[in-house]
Amino acid sequence: LQRQGQLDEARPLLEALWARSEEAPTQAAEAGLKLADLALQRSDDAAARALLQRLVELEVSNSIDRAARIRLAALDAGPGQK
């Protein structure tokens, strides 16, 4: 849905997956990364930062942690550096 430009349709599905973090942590974390990406596309840096920081705290996997930290570093770098 995201690739087809249907961000409004993708978000509820991703939010449902994100809510299942205890049942399926890896899938929830991947959904969290996508939600952060959608927030960045909407220029909602605060929401993206909150999601990414939560992903780092969850310590789901090295790859999720790395991806979240890279996105946080891009946010910290400021506009034009993402």
Side-chain angles (χ1 to χ4, degrees):
L1 293 172
Q2 181 182 357
R3 286 186 210 131
Q4 296 171 352
Q6 299 174 337
L7 300 180
D8 291 331
E9 291 83 358
R11 193 169 32 178
L13 299 172
L14 292 169
E15 288 171 346
L17 283 172
W18 175 242
R20 298 179 59 207
S21 62
E22 290 185 20
E23 299 169 31
T26 302
Q27 292 85 357
E30 290 171 358
L33 282 176
K34 290 292 185 187
L35 283 169
D37 290 343
L38 290 175
L40 290 170
Q41 288 177 11
R42 292 188 324 268
S43 297
D44 189 351
D45 291 358
R49 182 178 302 280
L51 281 163
L52 295 168
Q53 288 173 334
R54 181 68 181 131
L55 285 168
V56 170
E57 292 168 6
L58 289 174
E59 298 178 346
V60 174
S61 72
N62 289 337
S63 62
I64 296 291
D65 185 75
R66 188 178 321 106
R69 288 178 187 276
I70 289 169
R71 286 168 173 81
L72 282 169
L75 278 170
D76 291 340
Q81 302 296 317
K82 297 178 189 173

